[in-house]
Amino acid sequence: MSDFSSVLICGTGPVSIQMAVLMKKQWNSRIGIAGRTTVRSEHFYNALSSQHQVVRTRVQNALHQMMEGEIQVDEVFHSYESVTGMWDTILLAVTADAYGQVLQKLDTDLLRQVRCILLMSPTLGSGSLVQSYMAALNPAAEIISFSTYLGD
């Protein structure tokens, strides 16, 4: 399993923010966030920029206290095609039907060196589809499917 030293989070929704905080707090990961360029994501990018790339999460009860926190995102990319650098982990915090589209937009050199891909909202067969896509580029990449409840 990856040590999660550098994590590229694909997606700009609430689950992306929650996972960024969790990964930074638990593993001191270098965090990058990438998403599509849409009207909705533009609001996200503007808010992130105005806060100097600081994001916060809050929880409703003490049982989930470890999920609360504030971190600074290390790198922000306004499109998947603009992602640069080396990332050992890719976290797909997008809908399962978008996994293939997102992977196709990422640079193939990035995909060739990634060690782990985390699927946040998988459906039946998602892991196999991602594994098939990665087989020609990087068959050693570990694919981990989380329960959809983690994103909830």
Side-chain angles (χ1 to χ4, degrees):
M1 184 193 240
S2 174
D3 63 3
F4 305 120
S5 62
S6 60
V7 180
L8 175 66
I9 299 174
C10 296
T12 57
V15 173
S16 297
I17 300 305
Q18 184 65 69
M19 292 308 297
V21 170
L22 182 63
M23 301 299 271
K24 181 73 96 168
K25 282 181 60 180
Q26 294 297 311
W27 291 283
N28 196 30
S29 304
R30 183 176 124 245
I31 300 293
I33 294 182
R36 296 181 300 155
T37 304
T38 64
V39 172
R40 205 165 111 194
S41 67
E42 198 57 38
H43 174 72
F44 170 83
Y45 294 125
N46 289 337
L48 196 56
S49 177
S50 72
Q51 296 298 314
H52 308 288
Q53 296 181 196
V54 172
V55 295
R56 293 173 197 83
T57 57
R58 294 192 179 107
V59 296
Q60 294 179 9
N61 58 54
L63 180 64
H64 299 108
Q65 197 64 40
M66 71 174 282
M67 303 293 281
E68 188 170 81
E70 177 179 297
I71 61 119
Q72 184 168 25
V73 175
D74 299 293
E75 296 191 55
V76 178
F77 304 98
H78 291 245
S79 70
Y80 299 118
E81 296 89 347
S82 69
V83 173
T84 59
M86 303 301 266
W87 301 92
D88 62 44
T89 303
I90 296 173
L91 190 152
L92 294 175
V94 297
T95 58
D97 63 340
Y99 290 165
Q101 295 166 0
V102 170
L103 290 172
Q104 288 173 356
K105 291 179 181 182
L106 292 171
D107 185 72
T108 54
D109 288 336
L110 182 155
L111 295 174
R112 283 189 182 102
Q113 61 79 37
V114 73
R115 294 185 304 187
C116 182
I117 299 176
L118 305 173
L119 310 179
M120 287 305 301
S121 300
T123 57
L124 189 61
S126 295
S128 294
L129 290 172
V130 171
Q131 186 72 49
S132 293
Y133 181 81
M134 292 297 294
L137 296 170
N138 183 351
E142 182 176 16
I143 312 299
I144 299 174
S145 291
F146 284 107
S147 164
T148 56
Y149 291 112
L150 183 60
D152 289 342

